[in-house]
Amino acid sequence: MLIGVPKEIKNHEYRVGLIPSSVRELIHHGHQVVVETNAGAGIGFSDADYKAVGASIAATPSEIFASADMIVKVKEPQESEYTQLREGQLLFTYLHLAPDAPQTHGLLKSGCVAIAYETVTDNNGGLPLLRPMSEVAGRISVHVGANALHKAHGGAGVLLGGVPGVAPGKVVIIGGGVSGTHAARMAMGLEAEVTVLDRSTKRLDELNTLYGNKMKAIYSTQEAIEKYVSDADLVIGAVLVPGASAPKLVTRELINKMRPGSVLVDIAIDQGGCFETSKATTHQDPTYDVDGIVHYCVANMPGAVARTSTIALNNATLPYAIALANKGYKQAVADDKHLREGLNTAFGKVTCAPVAEAHDLEYVTPEEALGL
């Protein structure tokens, strides 16, 4: 199989779909890999590094989209990319289709077979290809939130850890999953006062067992959200409904009750965001103000630490990429029910139920779409 790796084109996105060691593994399995020139240069992987492991270098993305059997990316394809996809071509990347109608219709029009990292599952009900970026985003969320609290950046001038004689800042994390847990760990490390809200009593018990009185683990209700968010210095939205748009758990009315200079960080922005006032931003212009509250809603947060993120992502995606290349997508999806959950579109059909529901489109099972 000919596998293509185009350079990412989103604002300040330096991650790359395959690092040289991953390319070497795929070539070892008998495949060819073509990488767009400078695709990994932003994180220290040169064209020479890719050539050294057997890849060929393409001068333009159009060469890759025109020739490759499988496209491996990081971020969802932009319009200039999905218009180059063709029927039956395999796309393996993050998609986040539920809040993105243009991309959804673009993929359907192309007829490509699109497998989304974020909906591939595992035996434990987890999302193994989303997990590494959730870990990174959770950790980053506290860094950027603490920075946004600086007075010079529009914040209230609160130091999350406080100092002797001054109370620490209050961090509220909505969602106790992977990203929320990593955010809590970082916030506790800064000695902030940390509260995690979640609707799973099992997860709350796990958090309590792990961290005890270092944090509050609170069952999430509207009343609890209103109580803790209105009194927070930093609120981190870490809610995930796999494949679906994030629920709007913090209303504008509630935001109006927060102290001026407080900060909201929306990790869920890739799925539309969990704050009513959220809108996607970029690393170039990451924050904006609504009613005196600073919002950080960068849609590719892990891209801020692109080298760490890329290596972590490749560690997770490589076995699946090898399976897809070795078997072809039809057999790979037939053999692995968890990979089958990752199939979002195929030959003009929506094969992910939450995406179909979000855009009022017909849902077709992966088995039917691929004739399994």
Side-chain angles (χ1 to χ4, degrees):
M1 181 179 284
L2 178 58
I3 301 160
V5 183
K7 184 177 181 180
E8 297 294 324
I9 60 175
K10 286 197 80 169
N11 178 270
H12 283 281
E13 181 55 80
Y14 304 104
R15 289 175 291 179
V16 62
L18 294 174
I19 59 177
S21 62
S22 297
V23 170
R24 181 179 177 181
E25 289 296 313
L26 285 160
I27 291 174
H28 173 73
H29 282 267
H31 306 290
Q32 297 174 283
V33 180
V34 56
V35 180
E36 185 181 349
T37 186
N38 294 320
I43 53 173
F45 298 122
S46 67
D47 289 353
D49 293 328
Y50 284 103
K51 289 180 181 178
V53 296
S56 59
I57 304 299
T60 64
S62 60
E63 295 175 46
I64 292 174
F65 283 97
S67 62
D69 303 303
M70 174 166 67
I71 301 291
V72 180
K73 282 176 44 61
V74 177
K75 289 304 294 176
E76 69 279 357
Q78 306 301 292
E79 183 177 6
S80 65
E81 296 174 313
Y82 60 67
T83 53
Q84 296 185 70
L85 293 167
R86 63 180 185 275
E87 185 171 339
Q89 189 174 38
L90 176 59
L91 173 66
F92 191 39
T93 189
Y94 287 116
L95 293 175
H96 303 292
L97 292 179
D100 191 344
Q103 185 201 170
T104 301
H105 289 289
L107 294 181
L108 294 176
K109 184 177 180 180
S110 76
C112 76
V113 176
I115 296 178
Y117 295 158
E118 73 273 9
T119 59
V120 174
T121 58
D122 63 20
N123 287 326
N124 300 317
L127 303 170
L129 306 191
L130 184 62
R131 184 182 185 91
M133 297 304 94
S134 295
E135 292 170 346
V136 172
R139 294 180 176 224
I140 287 176
S141 68
V142 178
H143 291 172
V144 298
N147 190 56
L149 277 167
H150 293 182
K151 194 64 180 176
H153 298 154
V158 171
L159 180 64
L160 283 183
V163 292
V166 181
K170 297 179 179 179
V171 178
V172 173
I173 301 164
I174 305 176
V178 175
S179 58
T181 300
H182 280 261
R185 287 179 58 185
M186 295 300 288
M188 285 185 286
L190 291 176
E191 300 184 354
E193 180 183 318
V194 180
T195 301
V196 176
L197 303 173
D198 199 278
R199 298 197 70 175
S200 167
T201 53
K202 178 183 177 182
R203 185 57 186 155
L204 293 173
D205 183 62
E206 291 169 345
L207 290 171
N208 185 67
T209 300
L210 283 170
Y211 303 116
N213 60 7
K214 293 181 180 179
M215 59 167 282
K216 298 176 185 176
I218 303 296
Y219 186 76
S220 182
T221 61
Q222 286 299 310
E223 181 176 345
I225 290 172
E226 289 173 5
K227 174 183 176 180
Y228 288 99
V229 167
S230 62
D231 192 38
D233 297 296
L234 170 61
V235 179
I236 296 171
V239 178
L240 175 68
V241 180
S245 296
K248 305 296 185 186
L249 298 181
V250 177
T251 65
R252 182 160 191 164
E253 181 181 1
L254 177 54
I255 288 169
N256 283 330
K257 296 178 182 178
M258 296 177 70
R259 291 188 294 274
S262 299
V263 174
L264 299 176
V265 176
D266 199 339
I267 297 176
I269 192 64
D270 276 326
Q271 293 294 132
C274 60
F275 308 137
E276 186 178 352
T277 47
S278 290
K279 61 180 181 180
T281 60
T282 67
H283 288 293
Q284 183 174 329
D285 189 15
T287 63
Y288 60 93
D289 180 287
V290 176
D291 299 332
I293 307 302
V294 180
H295 291 57
Y296 180 101
C297 302
V298 173
N300 56 332
M301 286 178 63
V305 287
R307 187 176 175 94
T308 296
S309 295
T310 297
I311 295 170
L313 180 61
N314 270 241
N315 291 343
T317 59
L318 180 60
Y320 296 89
I322 290 173
L324 288 165
N326 285 354
K327 299 178 179 181
Y329 61 77
K330 189 171 183 178
Q331 191 62 50
V333 165
D335 290 348
D336 187 344
K337 65 180 181 180
H338 300 299
L339 189 57
R340 194 154 61 243
E341 292 289 330
L343 188 67
N344 276 217
T345 72
F347 298 99
K349 305 294 184 181
V350 178
T351 55
C352 178
V355 173
E357 182 179 354
H359 301 297
D360 196 24
L361 295 168
E362 180 185 2
Y363 167 68
V364 175
T365 66
E367 292 82 357
E368 183 180 351
L370 295 182
L372 300 180

